[in-house]
Amino acid sequence: MRTLTVITAGLSTPSSTRQVADEISAAVNAAVTARGEALEVTTIELRELVNDLAQVFTTGMSTPRLDEVKTLVSSSDGLVAVTPVFKASYSGLFKMFFDALDADALNGMPTIIAATAGTPRHSLVTEFALRPLMTYMRAVVVPTSFFAATDDFGGEEGQSLERRIARAAGELANLMVASNDSVGGLGGVTAEGQGMTRRRKTGVDPEENLVPFSELLAGHDGNS
């Protein structure tokens, strides 16, 4: 079974950001199922982690709940990240969460990025803000991003958005199903410019940073 984690930074209830997140996850579920795999979806509402994130950034100490989410994210086969647009970019809450992750938490993670806003003037936020953030964290972001303004819900524009979601979901499903090199959920990917495997790290367990002697001694025959 494949696993998908959905991160949504919506603040209101109901939330258009959560609505978009649910529509994307449903499309990914359909796309993965069509490829002969089962999918388990977990949705994380970042507004429920506000106190946990505040503690991390004010004390440097994580919380059991936040550690649980970090482990869940890094062990997933795919990620959907959706944020409302605040001041022409992703929200502060959204950024706080990804700042709290280990630098290697998303290595090689197949990812869909999406954003919601009140006006279509912010339609390029996925490319100018979200994609650079995820690329910096070495996630594999699918070509099709998703943006929805208030006027996009319903009508002809809504149908266009549905087609875009379906295309992004298909791209993500292809990556998730084709990824067979995961080990214990924390899959390895080839790091840029390196001939070695770079594994994801949750940042929760200090032993994750220990390099096995077999790797330290790789290429050495004992002769100095």
Side-chain angles (χ1 to χ4, degrees):
M1 175 178 287
R2 303 292 172 170
T3 57
L4 176 72
T5 298
V6 181
I7 301 297
T8 172
L11 298 178
S12 60
T13 304
S15 164
S16 59
T17 303
R18 175 60 188 264
Q19 179 181 340
V20 166
D22 289 344
E23 290 180 5
I24 294 174
S25 62
V28 174
N29 185 44
V32 171
T33 301
R35 287 159 176 77
E37 295 271 3
L39 182 67
E40 180 180 355
V41 179
T42 303
T43 300
I44 302 297
E45 291 271 11
L46 293 187
R47 61 189 176 87
E48 297 176 358
L49 294 174
V50 168
N51 292 334
D52 304 83
L53 292 169
Q55 177 171 314
V56 168
F57 287 101
T58 56
T59 69
M61 301 294 292
S62 188
T63 67
R65 173 56 178 157
L66 186 55
D67 285 347
E68 179 183 338
V69 173
K70 288 179 179 180
T71 301
L72 174 69
V73 169
S74 291
S75 63
S76 297
D77 295 306
L79 177 70
V80 174
V82 191
T83 180
V85 175
F86 289 174
K87 300 294 190 296
S89 187
Y90 38 66
S91 71
L93 178 61
F94 185 87
K95 184 62 160 56
M96 282 181 70
F97 175 74
F98 286 96
D99 281 347
L101 297 182
D102 188 272
D104 291 319
L106 301 183
N107 287 343
M109 177 73 73
T111 302
I112 289 177
I113 51 175
T116 61
T119 169
R121 289 179 298 175
H122 296 301
S123 60
L124 291 179
V125 71
T126 54
E127 306 308 311
F128 292 153
L130 285 168
R131 194 176 296 274
L133 171 63
M134 295 301 172
T135 300
Y136 175 80
M137 298 191 71
R138 293 180 290 276
V140 179
V141 185
V142 301
T144 303
S145 59
F146 183 82
F147 172 85
T150 301
D151 293 340
D152 291 332
F153 293 95
E156 294 182 3
E157 288 297 328
Q159 295 177 5
S160 175
L161 293 179
E162 289 177 5
R163 290 192 295 270
R164 193 171 182 85
I165 287 177
R167 184 166 67 245
E171 293 167 353
L172 186 69
N174 285 339
L175 290 174
M176 292 174 65
V177 172
S179 178
N180 295 317
D181 50 356
S182 62
V183 179
L186 299 180
V189 297
T190 302
E192 292 183 1
Q194 300 181 32
M196 61 179 290
T197 295
R198 191 163 193 168
R199 293 173 57 83
R200 293 181 203 145
K201 297 177 182 177
T202 65
V204 173
D205 184 359
E207 292 188 1
E208 288 180 320
N209 295 319
L210 296 179
V211 180
F213 278 109
S214 59
E215 291 185 19
L216 291 173
L217 299 177
H220 296 276
D221 57 8
N223 297 320
S224 57

